[in-house]
Amino acid sequence: MKKHNRLFTALLGLLILASSCKKDLDLAPTNDITADVAYATPEGYRSGIAKVYGSMATTGNQGAGSGDLGGIDAGTSDFLRLYWMAQQLPTDEAACAWVGDDGIPGLDYMNWSSSNIMLLGVYARSVYQVTLVNEFLRESTDAKLSSRGISGAEAANIKDYANEARFLRAFQYWVLMDLFGNPPFVTEASSVGKESPKQITRAELFKYVESELLAIEGNLKETNEYGRVTKGAAWALLARLYLNAQVYTGTPKFTEAAAYAEKVINSGKYSLHPVYANLFKADNNLNNPEVIFSINYDGVKTQNYGGTTYLINAAVNGDMKPETFGIPRGGWGGNRSRSNLPSAFGDYKTTRDKRAMFFGSNPVITDMSVFKEGLAVTKFTNLTSTGATAESVGGTYCSTDFPLFRLAEMHLIYAEAVLRGGSGNAAIAVNYINLLRQRAYGDASGNVSGITLEDVFNERTRELYWEGFRRTDLIRYGRFVEGTYLWPYKGGVINGKAVEAYRTIYPLPATDVISNTNLTQNPGY
């Protein structure tokens, strides 16, 4: 892999996910390689943690066309592709023209059911990644290391891997909690294959994710190889977790959200990238002080049809000259914006805000299947910051890394948390917003002297659009299902309408509820 191969030399094909989700949190190896063989040496552990990381960026061990998940097209089964669709398509920021593809209309029109294949996919992908971590942790205990004669510096390295793996599991459980509310729950302490997973409530899962992050934060490195977890990543996830605590548990934790956002900001490890557009280019792994944790892609070594390959190709069609986006043989013409997004920049054609990156002349969608209706979003590209096309097999696969956490989000979390009553300094909050606006405008002409929650909402729109935040943001602001805030085709009608209140949480996949009697379906489904 592009940025992991200095340490991790191979991906370990240890577990595969059956098409049934019945015991998908309790999978055991189904091949002839036992854990004692796979983890017999320090190199085996390096391969194991590489698989844990690699499953975030690949769909399977044999490149494009291979898949860890059963029951879904391999190209669609990538984590970021599925997560992005669940977070962006049922919102005011994005719409997909592929209305003939199973699962897409349900997200576009906010009328999904418990059999939606895209929701099944993101659920299964997150569960699969939890499974990989659980297996790795079972093999990383002191007793296991001792029995294999692993000690000293090698044992210490494996302990570092284990703490990083716990972060990745906490992140995936946060995803499951945010999307599905009350998923099945298993850790490394659970018996493998003995019984179907028990269900955990959203409030209980919140406490678990919080406790895991607090437990490991002191053991994570402050700096690490690019693409690996750091202490700052744990703080960033805690800040995001606490910002949404009232949605998840009914109890606000805005003081904690502001505190952890400021831990990241004041750590001295991160700074805003001077050029906003370069955050989303093919060499964004170089000289990028803003990204806290990313999913890393390589157009040669991590080929799949998800990730930023999906984000870039699906946002471009042939009329846009795909070669100018670093995908000379790509361009799928799928995702574009709904009119609310360019409107957030005022007159998007004349704004001085450099974050407004659109293509086209018609922002209005009257036919969901027509890609040219709605402005294309040109934020992500497979060109480097110098304009070169990144190396790619077939002229389609992309090397642009995706920032799961970056410093700008921490600025926005601090400002919002303080405005919502968290302890903090209002003047500092304004300054954090102005630092983002100064980068956007190139000078202080866009600065503001004060901010409201509405200002922060709009700033989040301009700063973070298409980065997988929107559904969660709309829910926190009370605008996702409500009729007081509309967008084209919300609820399946051209002018938009309110949808059922229960849709703030997705349904558990019907196949899992049927096969696992420990699960109770979320209300309304």
Side-chain angles (χ1 to χ4, degrees):
M1 294 177 62
K2 182 169 63 171
K3 292 101 181 179
H4 296 304
N5 59 5
R6 288 169 294 178
L7 177 65
F8 308 133
T9 59
L11 296 178
L12 180 66
L14 184 63
L15 304 171
I16 60 172
L17 188 67
S19 58
S20 168
C21 293
K22 181 176 181 181
K23 295 185 179 179
D24 46 13
L25 285 170
D26 276 339
L27 293 181
T30 58
N31 51 35
D32 294 331
I33 302 176
T34 66
D36 283 335
V37 172
Y39 289 100
T41 65
E43 182 64 26
Y45 282 92
R46 282 189 283 273
S47 295
I49 193 64
K51 176 62 178 178
V52 172
Y53 273 105
S55 65
M56 294 279 283
T58 59
T59 58
N61 293 337
Q62 280 75 51
S66 68
D68 296 312
L69 309 183
I72 186 172
D73 172 71
T76 306
S77 69
D78 166 79
F79 168 73
L80 179 59
R81 178 170 180 164
L82 291 162
Y83 179 67
W84 190 92
M85 286 191 289
Q87 285 287 82
Q88 294 292 158
L89 291 186
T91 77
D92 58 343
E93 285 190 353
C96 185
W98 303 334
V99 296
D101 287 11
D102 189 16
I104 294 296
L107 297 177
D108 273 342
Y109 301 132
M110 298 187 73
N111 61 4
W112 56 79
S113 71
S114 59
S115 61
N116 185 286
I117 187 63
M118 301 306 174
L119 298 181
L120 170 61
V122 68
Y123 174 93
R125 176 56 68 177
S126 290
V127 158
Y128 175 71
Q129 291 177 210
V130 167
T131 304
L132 291 178
V133 173
N134 287 344
E135 177 64 18
F136 185 84
L137 294 178
R138 288 187 188 104
E139 300 303 323
S140 303
T141 63
D142 290 339
K144 291 280 190 179
L145 295 179
S146 177
S147 71
R148 291 162 183 161
I150 301 174
S151 61
E154 292 287 8
N157 286 338
I158 293 168
K159 289 301 181 185
D160 287 338
Y161 303 159
N163 285 318
E164 294 169 35
R166 288 174 71 181
F167 170 86
L168 295 174
R169 181 177 61 184
F171 173 76
Q172 290 299 335
Y173 268 133
W174 170 77
V175 169
L176 289 165
M177 175 181 63
D178 186 76
L179 296 180
F180 299 99
N182 312 286
F185 177 75
V186 169
T187 71
E188 74 277 15
S190 305
S191 298
V192 177
K194 301 295 184 182
E195 59 182 14
S196 296
K198 299 292 195 298
Q199 190 167 22
I200 190 170
T201 68
R202 204 181 206 189
E204 290 169 339
L205 189 50
F206 175 94
K207 291 178 183 178
Y208 173 78
V209 172
E210 177 188 31
S211 67
E212 279 289 279
L213 294 171
L214 293 175
I216 64 175
E217 65 167 314
N219 297 322
L220 292 170
K221 295 180 179 180
E222 291 190 358
T223 58
N224 210 339
E225 289 181 287
Y226 178 81
R228 287 179 61 187
V229 173
T230 62
K231 193 186 302 288
W235 291 342
L237 182 51
L238 279 165
R240 191 185 292 179
L241 179 75
Y242 289 137
L243 182 68
N244 294 286
Q246 191 166 19
V247 173
Y248 301 147
T249 71
T251 302
K253 288 186 175 287
F254 296 120
T255 292
E256 292 88 340
Y260 273 91
E262 198 152 49
K263 275 180 177 282
V264 178
I265 295 167
N266 292 339
S267 69
K269 302 298 181 183
Y270 312 99
S271 59
L272 294 178
H273 195 296
V275 181
Y276 179 81
N278 288 356
L279 286 164
F280 314 102
K281 293 183 177 179
D283 57 351
N284 60 354
N285 61 302
L286 302 175
N287 303 315
N288 189 344
E290 183 167 342
V291 173
I292 301 165
F293 183 63
S294 59
I295 305 179
N296 303 331
Y297 299 97
D298 188 295
V300 175
K301 298 178 181 178
T302 59
Q303 299 170 32
N304 84 81
Y305 292 104
T308 52
T309 293
Y310 163 74
L311 288 185
I312 295 167
N313 280 274
V316 174
N317 74 349
D319 293 341
M320 296 169 64
K321 297 182 179 180
E323 65 273 14
T324 64
F325 294 88
I327 46 171
R329 297 183 182 178
W332 304 338
N335 298 329
R336 75 284 201 199
S337 67
R338 306 195 200 213
S339 57
N340 301 57
L341 178 54
S343 294
F345 292 91
D347 186 344
Y348 64 90
K349 296 179 180 178
T350 61
T351 181
R352 294 185 58 233
D353 192 327
K354 299 183 184 71
R355 297 171 296 187
M357 291 182 273
F358 302 103
F359 178 96
S361 59
N362 178 17
V364 178
I365 298 175
T366 59
D367 185 339
M368 187 65 75
S369 68
V370 179
F371 175 75
K372 292 182 181 180
E373 291 188 0
L375 300 183
V377 172
T378 60
K379 182 172 180 173
F380 293 89
T381 177
N382 196 43
L383 296 178
T384 69
S385 57
T386 62
T389 297
E391 187 177 1
S392 170
V393 173
T396 300
Y397 302 115
C398 296
S399 295
T400 306
D401 297 342
F402 185 85
L404 283 178
F405 297 92
R406 59 185 181 93
L407 184 63
E409 182 197 356
M410 300 300 107
H411 283 222
L412 292 158
I413 287 177
Y414 182 90
E416 182 178 340
V418 169
L419 287 170
R420 289 189 184 276
S423 297
N425 185 293
I428 290 176
V430 172
N431 181 57
Y432 286 158
I433 296 298
N434 280 335
L435 288 173
L436 301 181
R437 295 178 66 81
Q438 286 167 21
R439 174 172 65 181
Y441 284 79
D443 54 34
S445 63
N447 281 16
V448 295
S449 57
I451 54 173
T452 64
L453 279 174
E454 186 68 15
D455 293 329
V456 175
F457 177 81
N458 292 330
E459 204 63 41
R460 286 186 70 93
T461 305
R462 292 184 287 263
E463 181 69 29
L464 300 176
Y465 69 95
W466 276 42
E467 293 183 53
F469 291 96
R470 195 56 168 181
R471 171 188 158 276
T472 302
D473 286 353
L474 289 171
I475 291 170
R476 190 174 63 256
Y477 270 85
R479 299 179 181 184
F480 186 61
V481 297
E482 293 79 2
T484 53
Y485 183 76
L486 301 175
W487 54 84
Y489 288 103
K490 178 178 182 177
V493 299
I494 190 167
N495 293 321
K497 68 173 184 177
V499 301
E500 302 90 340
Y502 62 78
R503 293 191 183 276
T504 56
I505 298 178
Y506 284 124
L508 302 177
T511 52
D512 213 15
V513 175
I514 292 169
S515 62
N516 183 352
T517 57
N518 293 326
L519 300 181
T520 299
Q521 183 59 274
N522 290 326
Y525 297 106

PDB file of all heavy atoms in Angstrom, residues 342-343 345-352:
ATOM      1  N   PRO A 342     -24.595  24.807  -3.669  1.00  0.00           N
ATOM      2  CA  PRO A 342     -24.000  26.033  -4.224  1.00  0.00           C
ATOM      3  C   PRO A 342     -24.613  27.300  -3.647  1.00  0.00           C
ATOM      4  O   PRO A 342     -23.926  28.326  -3.537  1.00  0.00           O
ATOM      5  CB  PRO A 342     -24.257  25.903  -5.731  1.00  0.00           C
ATOM      6  CG  PRO A 342     -25.333  24.885  -5.872  1.00  0.00           C
ATOM      7  CD  PRO A 342     -25.180  23.956  -4.721  1.00  0.00           C
ATOM      8  N   SER A 343     -25.887  27.230  -3.235  1.00  0.00           N
ATOM      9  CA  SER A 343     -26.524  28.411  -2.644  1.00  0.00           C
ATOM     10  C   SER A 343     -25.866  28.828  -1.333  1.00  0.00           C
ATOM     11  O   SER A 343     -25.948  29.997  -0.940  1.00  0.00           O
ATOM     12  CB  SER A 343     -28.015  28.139  -2.405  1.00  0.00           C
ATOM     13  OG  SER A 343     -28.701  27.960  -3.628  1.00  0.00           O
ATOM     14  N   PHE A 345     -22.933  29.321  -0.885  1.00  0.00           N
ATOM     15  CA  PHE A 345     -21.853  30.250  -1.210  1.00  0.00           C
ATOM     16  C   PHE A 345     -22.377  31.555  -1.786  1.00  0.00           C
ATOM     17  O   PHE A 345     -21.596  32.366  -2.297  1.00  0.00           O
ATOM     18  CB  PHE A 345     -20.899  29.602  -2.218  1.00  0.00           C
ATOM     19  CG  PHE A 345     -20.106  28.450  -1.650  1.00  0.00           C
ATOM     20  CD1 PHE A 345     -20.595  27.151  -1.739  1.00  0.00           C
ATOM     21  CD2 PHE A 345     -18.888  28.665  -1.030  1.00  0.00           C
ATOM     22  CE1 PHE A 345     -19.870  26.086  -1.229  1.00  0.00           C
ATOM     23  CE2 PHE A 345     -18.160  27.615  -0.513  1.00  0.00           C
ATOM     24  CZ  PHE A 345     -18.649  26.316  -0.599  1.00  0.00           C
ATOM     25  N   GLY A 346     -23.691  31.787  -1.700  1.00  0.00           N
ATOM     26  CA  GLY A 346     -24.267  32.963  -2.324  1.00  0.00           C
ATOM     27  C   GLY A 346     -24.261  32.781  -3.830  1.00  0.00           C
ATOM     28  O   GLY A 346     -24.748  31.782  -4.350  1.00  0.00           O
ATOM     29  N   ASP A 347     -23.695  33.736  -4.537  1.00  0.00           N
ATOM     30  CA  ASP A 347     -23.508  33.596  -5.982  1.00  0.00           C
ATOM     31  C   ASP A 347     -22.242  32.783  -6.196  1.00  0.00           C
ATOM     32  O   ASP A 347     -21.129  33.308  -6.141  1.00  0.00           O
ATOM     33  CB  ASP A 347     -23.394  34.968  -6.646  1.00  0.00           C
ATOM     34  CG  ASP A 347     -23.352  34.869  -8.169  1.00  0.00           C
ATOM     35  OD1 ASP A 347     -23.105  33.752  -8.682  1.00  0.00           O
ATOM     36  OD2 ASP A 347     -23.548  35.893  -8.837  1.00  0.00           O
ATOM     37  N   TYR A 348     -22.396  31.497  -6.444  1.00  0.00           N
ATOM     38  CA  TYR A 348     -21.235  30.610  -6.528  1.00  0.00           C
ATOM     39  C   TYR A 348     -20.333  30.957  -7.703  1.00  0.00           C
ATOM     40  O   TYR A 348     -19.156  30.581  -7.734  1.00  0.00           O
ATOM     41  CB  TYR A 348     -21.698  29.150  -6.642  1.00  0.00           C
ATOM     42  CG  TYR A 348     -22.469  28.833  -7.901  1.00  0.00           C
ATOM     43  CD1 TYR A 348     -21.819  28.397  -9.044  1.00  0.00           C
ATOM     44  CD2 TYR A 348     -23.853  28.984  -7.953  1.00  0.00           C
ATOM     45  CE1 TYR A 348     -22.522  28.112 -10.208  1.00  0.00           C
ATOM     46  CE2 TYR A 348     -24.558  28.705  -9.111  1.00  0.00           C
ATOM     47  CZ  TYR A 348     -23.897  28.278 -10.233  1.00  0.00           C
ATOM     48  OH  TYR A 348     -24.603  28.008 -11.383  1.00  0.00           O
ATOM     49  N   LYS A 349     -20.852  31.686  -8.697  1.00  0.00           N
ATOM     50  CA  LYS A 349     -20.050  32.042  -9.867  1.00  0.00           C
ATOM     51  C   LYS A 349     -19.096  33.194  -9.579  1.00  0.00           C
ATOM     52  O   LYS A 349     -18.041  33.294 -10.212  1.00  0.00           O
ATOM     53  CB  LYS A 349     -20.962  32.417 -11.029  1.00  0.00           C
ATOM     54  CG  LYS A 349     -21.838  31.288 -11.544  1.00  0.00           C
ATOM     55  CD  LYS A 349     -22.713  31.767 -12.686  1.00  0.00           C
ATOM     56  CE  LYS A 349     -23.605  30.653 -13.214  1.00  0.00           C
ATOM     57  NZ  LYS A 349     -24.501  31.127 -14.306  1.00  0.00           N
ATOM     58  N   THR A 350     -19.452  34.049  -8.647  1.00  0.00           N
ATOM     59  CA  THR A 350     -18.641  35.244  -8.401  1.00  0.00           C
ATOM     60  C   THR A 350     -18.036  35.295  -7.006  1.00  0.00           C
ATOM     61  O   THR A 350     -17.248  36.197  -6.719  1.00  0.00           O
ATOM     62  CB  THR A 350     -19.497  36.510  -8.602  1.00  0.00           C
ATOM     63  OG1 THR A 350     -20.597  36.504  -7.671  1.00  0.00           O
ATOM     64  CG2 THR A 350     -20.037  36.579 -10.031  1.00  0.00           C
ATOM     65  N   THR A 351     -18.376  34.353  -6.143  1.00  0.00           N
ATOM     66  CA  THR A 351     -17.864  34.398  -4.778  1.00  0.00           C
ATOM     67  C   THR A 351     -16.337  34.357  -4.765  1.00  0.00           C
ATOM     68  O   THR A 351     -15.704  33.700  -5.600  1.00  0.00           O
ATOM     69  CB  THR A 351     -18.416  33.238  -3.938  1.00  0.00           C
ATOM     70  OG1 THR A 351     -17.903  33.341  -2.614  1.00  0.00           O
ATOM     71  CG2 THR A 351     -18.021  31.886  -4.522  1.00  0.00           C
ATOM     72  N   ARG A 352     -15.746  35.025  -3.791  1.00  0.00           N
ATOM     73  CA  ARG A 352     -14.289  34.966  -3.603  1.00  0.00           C
ATOM     74  C   ARG A 352     -13.902  33.786  -2.730  1.00  0.00           C
ATOM     75  O   ARG A 352     -12.713  33.547  -2.501  1.00  0.00           O
ATOM     76  CB  ARG A 352     -13.794  36.272  -2.977  1.00  0.00           C
ATOM     77  CG  ARG A 352     -13.962  37.496  -3.899  1.00  0.00           C
ATOM     78  CD  ARG A 352     -13.340  38.722  -3.287  1.00  0.00           C
ATOM     79  NE  ARG A 352     -11.920  38.486  -3.025  1.00  0.00           N
ATOM     80  CZ  ARG A 352     -11.334  38.672  -1.857  1.00  0.00           C
ATOM     81  NH1 ARG A 352     -12.060  39.056  -0.821  1.00  0.00           N
ATOM     82  NH2 ARG A 352     -10.041  38.473  -1.705  1.00  0.00           N
TER      83      ARG A 352
END
